[in-house]
Amino acid sequence: MIVYSDVIKTSGADEPLAFAPNDEIISDGYTLIPCNADEIDALAKKPAKTVGDVLGVDDEWERQPADVKAKKEAESILYFVRGERVTEAAANVDTGANASAEGGDDEGAEDTSKEVINVVSSGLLESTSFDKKSYMAYLKGYLKSTKQYIPWAQKNREENDWQWKALSAEEKEAEKKKVEQQIAIFEPKAMAFAKWIQANFKDLDFYTGASMNPDGMVILSNYMEDGVSPYFLFWKAGLKGQKC
């Protein structure tokens, strides 16, 4: 499994978990779908999952050939993630008291479970708010900072990724060229996405990581065409993955 966190650090420590696609726990499974601004509306119109499908996992994307997915990954600046509303049980706190002494068993006890969005709950996301002027001011600074992390992500991979170390010199050179391509396409596609944000601003919800770092990523959320299932948009360059 790979967990993702915000590349922009707070007080020298990594931003708390921002996003964790979980392939091992099927009920919490969801897929990162690389996309750009012109593809968001089409993805949001996809029909709701049937009961038999794994929650949130985009089967159509998973069925794509590896080379198609790799090309899409290289050409995209965003991750589109479909969320699901799930029931989460309340934490069971053991007070050490004798249940029988307190009035018998749990019959009739209040049900404290609650409905949550899996991406928000498992990602420890915190809701926040903006007006359009303050968000666009934030975005200008964030894009300037995040652009610098595209080559940083490559450097981090070279130093820490066992898969990278197993590549031949030719394969490493090809990977570095992919990073150069990402840097070249980032700015114009980021500007196109900024225009999409402005056009859809009134429909968007905003989330940050648990630290609510004002310099970190603000995750955008809206609803699929069914009006029930939320989707989330992450800046691909603003995430770093770690295998665990």
Side-chain angles (χ1 to χ4, degrees):
M1 182 181 73
I2 299 177
V3 296
Y4 288 82
S5 57
D6 197 331
V7 299
I8 295 180
K9 299 180 180 180
T10 306
S11 303
D14 287 346
E15 175 80 357
L17 177 64
F19 194 52
N22 191 335
D23 297 326
E24 296 172 1
I25 305 174
I26 294 178
S27 63
D28 288 336
Y30 34 86
T31 303
L32 291 80
I33 304 176
C35 72
N36 293 304
D38 57 350
E39 300 165 300
I40 295 170
D41 293 337
L43 286 168
K45 291 177 181 177
K46 294 182 68 175
K49 295 293 177 182
T50 62
V51 175
D53 286 333
V54 174
L55 287 179
V57 172
D58 191 278
D59 297 327
E60 181 182 328
W61 168 253
E62 292 296 341
R63 287 196 299 267
Q64 296 295 318
D67 59 335
V68 173
K69 290 199 287 186
K71 185 174 186 294
K72 182 71 174 173
E73 180 83 35
E75 294 176 349
S76 302
I77 64 165
L78 302 168
Y79 281 131
F80 180 101
V81 183
R82 180 174 179 144
E84 297 286 344
R85 294 188 176 277
V86 296
T87 300
E88 186 177 80
N92 185 16
V93 180
D94 185 1
T95 63
N98 186 318
S100 61
E102 291 183 343
D105 56 27
D106 293 331
E107 185 177 351
E110 181 181 357
D111 181 6
T112 55
S113 61
K114 59 180 179 179
E115 186 179 67
V116 299
I117 299 171
N118 60 347
V119 178
V120 174
S121 180
S122 65
L124 303 179
L125 303 185
E126 296 287 342
S127 177
T128 188
S129 61
F130 288 90
D131 58 37
K132 186 181 290 189
K133 183 178 179 179
S134 63
Y135 178 82
M136 298 313 293
Y138 149 81
L139 185 61
K140 182 178 179 180
Y142 180 76
L143 292 180
K144 183 178 180 180
S145 299
T146 306
K147 185 178 178 181
Q148 301 171 12
Y149 281 98
I150 298 175
W152 176 89
Q154 178 65 46
K155 182 177 184 297
N156 183 68
R157 184 181 178 196
E158 291 178 24
E159 294 175 350
N160 300 296
D161 190 344
W162 64 269
Q163 291 178 312
W164 170 266
K165 293 176 181 178
L167 297 178
S168 67
E170 292 79 9
E171 289 170 329
K172 288 180 179 178
E173 190 61 31
E175 289 295 312
K176 288 181 179 179
K177 286 182 179 178
K178 289 180 183 178
V179 172
E180 292 173 3
Q181 291 171 351
Q182 282 184 303
I183 294 171
I185 68 173
F186 179 80
E187 196 164 63
K189 291 193 175 184
M191 292 302 101
F193 182 46
K195 290 180 180 178
W196 182 92
I197 293 171
Q198 289 181 306
N200 294 275
F201 193 86
K202 63 182 177 60
D203 299 321
L204 298 174
D205 294 320
F206 305 88
Y207 292 89
T208 68
S211 73
M212 302 191 77
N213 171 18
D215 297 320
M217 187 189 306
V218 171
I219 298 116
L220 303 178
S221 177
N222 200 346
Y223 283 84
M224 304 288 285
E225 193 174 54
D226 62 15
V228 176
S229 304
Y231 68 82
F232 297 81
L233 299 168
F234 293 79
W235 290 97
K236 190 173 72 176
L239 292 177
K240 64 177 177 179
Q242 180 178 349
K243 190 174 182 180
C244 65

